[in-house]
Amino acid sequence: MAVTEPAPAVPAEPHAPPTPMAAPNEAGETPGIPQEGARREETGEGRGGGEGSEGGAGARSAPSGRTVRGTGYESILRRQSLRESAARTYARSLPIVPVRARGLTIEGADGRRYLDCLSGAGTLALGHNHPVVLEAIKKVLDSGAPLHVLDLATPVKDAFTSELFATLPGELADDARVQFCGPAGTDAVEAALKLVRTATGRDGLLAFTGAYHGMTAGALAASGGAPDVRVTRLPYPHAYRCPFGTGGERGAELSARWTESLLDDPKSGVTTPAGMIVEAVQGEGGVIPAPDDWMRRMRRITADRAIPLVVDEVQTGVGRTGAFWAVEHSGVVPDVMVLSKAIGGSLPLAVVVYRSSLDAWEPGAHAGTFRGNQLAMAAGTATLAYVRENKLAERAGTLGARILGQLQGLAAAHPCVGDVRGRGLMIGIELVDPDAAGPEDTAPPAAPALALAVQQECLARGLIVELGGRHSAVVRLLPPLTLTDEQATAVLDRFADALAAAERDRVPRPSPSRRAPAPVPAPGPSH
């Protein structure tokens, strides 16, 4: 859904933003950006053979021989829908064509601006095109350094590794090895699972309900939506939708007891596994923070039984939750950490960091052609250092707590908001149907249609949000760590307005059977 007016200006990012984007003119057009007037190329009206018009000098032929026409954003979206796989996701709910971005703000080819609270699914810790990231990339490009080096040592890689180790929990950093993987987080998960299986000689794996670890075979098998379960699934503590019907500390305690029982009962059908993989905050599962005591309990359970603990920090890492790494909230030091997204400073990068005692790899046991992304390492080094030096993790914790408080206040006036939860700048709002009857003493049913409507209303107001959680009924906010107080207010204002609009539209209208009967006409004259 497109907005009808350019979104209002938002306070700029702190720390010396780059050159401002050009403002739309009175016609709503932005200099240098293909404009909506180009829509007519689809019919050929008003075109005289210029670049992009049928038969013109600039026309390009598609592989099928058909002429490719049009530079307008609607034409681009139409071609995407015709050419790209049905597996595409974000493009379906966010029909925009980004052409320029800075910090929190994206400008589309339609000349309109959006506040981006998706941040590349948590990838953009510093937002779009932060100056320190651009400078780091430019420095590598200008140096003449090779951009592709497989897994060879380079000064760029050495600097990244040193900065990464400087941020890790001390006990792990003092005895760590790092495995550079393919550029996606799911490949790092695959590497971690292979690593613990190789090191222990065991095959089984413990994972949790609601988990998300990636889309490749092994990572998907450990995720909550696995179609073919080959992993022992444990209950993740969920205060709002507790699997035991208790919630709170009692629910977390029962989850831990269940885990211990499965591992210690010789008739449970669960043999000692190769490892346990867990998220300190489940992201795709619905933004569900694990209680710190429960995380410590999982650490004790695994350590007492010589089971490696793997913590997936792909989305929670680099300050997102209010600590540099989410495990730091509980003081847990895992045996393996899986890292991706923000560590590449907006470019693809993924690694596994683990205790040296687990380093049982044979050479080439987990390889990949694109393990040495020099630009991503340079951007990642700059990002890690900037977050650390400017204490952005602490800032995320403070600002996130304020946003959560304001959202909880908003929930009091909107019964369709079932729960507001999160940690730092990783926030979820679960939408429910308060009028639908459910089992006694349970949360109301999820309202995925309402969540989708809220997302669309947000987009109409120039705010980009994501959906996740069970039944895709959780609106997720993942703004950059550079979010200012003024920008946070703008985000909350637009969300509140979108929520109110979506809620108004869902109020059921009387069905014909419930309408008042039509008045009976007065009897006419008798015949």
Side-chain angles (χ1 to χ4, degrees):
M1 182 184 298
V3 293
T4 56
E5 296 292 339
V10 179
E13 308 299 315
H15 312 302
T19 303
M21 294 181 285
N25 58 27
E26 293 182 355
E29 300 174 343
T30 303
I33 296 179
Q35 296 302 317
E36 188 51 17
R39 294 179 188 175
R40 290 176 296 174
E41 85 287 347
E42 291 300 308
T43 61
E45 296 178 7
R47 288 291 176 184
E51 183 176 358
S53 62
E54 183 172 341
R60 296 178 291 110
S61 295
S64 63
R66 293 178 297 172
T67 301
V68 177
R69 295 179 292 163
T71 57
Y73 82 96
E74 286 191 339
S75 301
I76 294 172
L77 291 174
R78 186 175 296 111
R79 285 194 291 272
Q80 180 187 42
S81 68
L82 290 173
R83 294 168 173 172
E84 288 192 26
S85 164
R88 68 190 186 280
T89 54
Y90 300 106
R92 294 180 183 274
S93 57
L94 301 172
I96 63 177
V97 179
V99 293
R100 207 178 315 189
R102 184 185 72 247
L104 179 68
T105 306
I106 286 178
E107 187 167 335
D110 56 0
R112 299 183 175 99
R113 297 183 181 185
Y114 303 84
L115 307 184
D116 182 10
C117 282
L118 176 56
S119 298
T123 298
L124 305 172
L126 303 183
H128 294 276
N129 294 339
H130 194 280
V132 301
V133 172
L134 297 181
E135 179 60 28
I137 294 171
K138 184 176 184 295
K139 184 176 179 180
V140 174
L141 291 174
D142 290 345
S143 73
L147 300 182
H148 188 282
V149 293
L150 299 171
D151 65 351
L152 301 180
T154 70
V156 172
K157 184 187 214 178
D158 184 62
F160 171 79
T161 304
S162 297
E163 183 60 43
L164 175 64
F165 274 47
T167 69
L168 295 174
E171 183 183 331
L172 180 60
D174 291 342
D175 181 41
R177 297 290 185 273
V178 59
Q179 165 77 18
F180 287 86
C181 304
T186 189
D187 187 64
V189 170
E190 296 285 352
L193 302 185
K194 286 169 63 176
L195 174 70
V196 295
R197 284 170 170 146
T198 300
T200 64
R202 303 190 290 260
D203 291 327
L205 188 70
L206 302 176
F208 290 88
T209 54
Y212 179 76
H213 299 293
M215 293 299 293
T216 50
L220 185 60
S223 299
D228 182 13
V229 178
R230 302 174 184 176
V231 175
T232 300
R233 200 74 49 176
L234 301 171
Y236 192 88
H238 192 336
Y240 187 62
R241 297 191 183 277
C242 178
F244 303 106
T246 62
E249 294 181 3
R250 181 59 177 162
E253 170 65 19
L254 291 173
S255 168
R257 286 193 181 188
W258 179 258
T259 301
E260 290 177 321
S261 175
L262 281 180
L263 292 172
D264 296 341
D265 182 356
K267 295 296 185 180
S268 70
V270 178
T271 58
T272 303
M276 172 191 284
I277 184 167
V278 64
E279 299 158 278
V281 181
Q282 287 192 343
E284 300 299 325
V287 193
I288 307 169
D292 292 338
D293 286 342
W294 181 85
M295 282 293 294
R296 288 188 282 267
R297 184 78 169 270
M298 292 301 105
R299 174 67 284 188
R300 289 196 298 272
I301 288 172
T302 52
D304 290 348
R305 293 160 181 80
I307 301 170
L309 177 63
V310 181
V311 175
D312 184 339
E313 291 262 13
V314 168
Q315 192 168 95
T316 55
V318 194
R320 170 62 55 188
T321 67
F324 208 99
W325 307 107
V327 291
E328 293 179 308
H329 291 291
S330 61
V332 163
V333 179
D335 301 297
V336 183
M337 290 175 65
V338 182
L339 315 176
S340 187
K341 289 191 184 292
I343 67 165
S346 76
L347 299 179
L349 189 63
V351 304
V352 181
V353 179
Y354 53 91
R355 296 182 188 271
S356 61
S357 59
L358 296 173
D359 197 22
W361 292 119
E362 293 291 333
H366 193 83
T369 303
F370 292 99
R371 290 178 285 167
N373 189 334
Q374 298 293 282
L375 294 182
M377 291 177 189
T381 301
T383 298
L384 294 171
Y386 192 89
V387 171
R388 176 176 56 81
E389 293 167 359
N390 290 277
K391 302 186 183 303
L392 293 190
E394 293 88 336
R395 163 70 177 167
T398 301
L399 183 56
R402 181 167 71 82
I403 293 174
L404 277 173
Q406 291 178 317
L407 287 171
Q408 287 161 353
L410 183 68
H414 295 273
C416 65
V417 178
D419 193 30
V420 175
R421 54 183 180 257
R423 203 156 202 175
L425 290 177
M426 189 173 182
I427 296 168
I429 305 103
E430 181 165 348
L431 300 181
V432 300
D433 184 351
D435 300 323
E440 189 176 357
D441 297 328
T442 62
L450 177 60
L452 180 59
V454 169
Q455 183 188 41
Q456 292 171 341
E457 293 288 353
C458 283
L459 190 64
R461 289 156 177 78
L463 176 62
I464 296 174
V465 299
E466 171 61 332
L467 302 181
R470 273 71 165 180
H471 311 292
S472 296
V474 178
V475 178
R476 301 183 59 203
L477 301 179
L478 292 164
L481 308 188
T482 53
L483 187 74
T484 67
D485 291 344
E486 294 81 5
Q487 289 172 338
T489 298
V491 167
L492 290 171
D493 286 347
R494 295 186 193 190
F495 175 77
D497 191 37
L499 176 65
E503 194 174 32
R504 283 194 303 269
D505 290 345
R506 72 176 288 274
V507 175
R509 295 178 174 84
S511 63
S513 62
R514 295 181 180 179
R515 289 175 183 165
V520 178
S526 58
H527 295 286

